[in-house]
Amino acid sequence: MLSLGPHDPLPVRPSRITVAGTSGSGKTTLARRISAVLGAPFTEMDGLYHGPGWVPRDAFVADVTALVAQDAWVTEWGYQAARPLVLERAEVLVWLDLPVWTVMRQVVTRTVRRSVRREVLWNGNVEGPLWRLLRRGDGNIVDWAWTTRHALDGLDRRLDDEAPHVVLVRLRSRAEVETWVETLADTLRQGRDPEQS
């Protein structure tokens, strides 16, 4: 497995990219940005998973299978049932390995915003009321983000065994995210193949 940092050029122009990170790390935001840069379609994994009333959709695995069979896509690397399917076809996995305090600040801010504004998320679902932030479990995404904050520790070693074909880009700060996206965009804007940059 090839492992890169924020300044390293990709060896090829990718068509299939997945973004990994713990809850609240910014996977969806980054995946959307990559999609715009590459001109590859973005599919939000949460939208495939959550049906109305937050009930998991029966068609989730079938939909993920159809998604990854396409020639080009960008999506998040989430949900245990989907991860092997996505990883098998991905060319690049971007790992948002951000500090815990950064992730927690982001997930709290996002959750409060969604709850106060009653933002409609996937299939008509909305974030629960703010009082749920005071309770453990019970669909509390902030509690989930804290509980699973170390879930991806050692991801680089696991990928080396499970997916040696995947190029890993590990980003450890918001600044590194910006550097990597700008480098990718600049390379593609100038019409260069990444390996020649």
Side-chain angles (χ1 to χ4, degrees), residues 20-189:
T22 57
S23 294
S25 61
K27 296 184 296 297
T28 301
T29 300
L30 179 55
R32 280 195 178 105
R33 291 180 68 188
I34 294 169
S35 169
V37 169
L38 288 182
F42 166 68
T43 299
E44 189 169 359
M45 197 61 68
D46 281 331
L48 296 181
Y49 183 80
H50 294 292
W54 296 104
V55 176
R57 295 177 59 252
D58 292 336
F60 175 62
V61 171
D63 287 347
V64 173
T65 301
L67 163 66
V68 300
Q70 299 174 31
D71 291 334
W73 45 261
V74 180
T75 192
E76 308 96 335
W77 194 60
Y79 299 99
Q80 290 298 330
R83 284 180 173 175
L85 302 171
V86 172
L87 198 56
E88 183 178 355
R89 293 272 295 146
E91 297 167 315
V92 175
L93 185 146
V94 180
W95 179 14
L96 287 174
D97 189 18
L98 306 180
V100 171
W101 64 269
T102 299
V103 174
M104 294 309 299
R105 183 185 71 238
Q106 290 175 176
V107 75
V108 168
T109 301
R110 179 189 74 185
T111 303
V112 169
R113 184 195 73 236
R114 286 177 173 176
S115 181
V116 169
R117 294 181 181 173
R118 304 298 294 160
E119 292 179 17
V120 177
L121 302 172
W122 316 280
N123 298 308
N125 296 308
V126 294
E127 197 77 61
L130 284 178
W131 61 260
R132 287 176 67 180
L133 294 180
L134 303 175
R135 296 176 59 178
R136 299 216 52 187
D138 194 30
N140 182 341
I141 190 64
V142 175
D143 180 54
W144 174 256
W146 178 256
T147 302
T148 60
R149 66 192 181 280
H150 297 299
L152 296 181
D153 288 0
L155 178 60
D156 49 349
R157 293 186 301 276
R158 288 177 8 218
L159 291 178
D160 205 24
D161 292 334
E162 298 171 18
H165 66 281
V166 171
V167 174
L168 172 65
V169 178
R170 187 174 187 179
L171 305 175
R172 300 172 191 249
S173 69
R174 301 307 317 170
E176 287 191 357
V177 169
E178 294 306 315
T179 296
W180 186 77
V181 171
E182 288 171 17
T183 300
L184 179 64
D186 182 56
T187 299
L188 299 177
R189 190 167 38 246

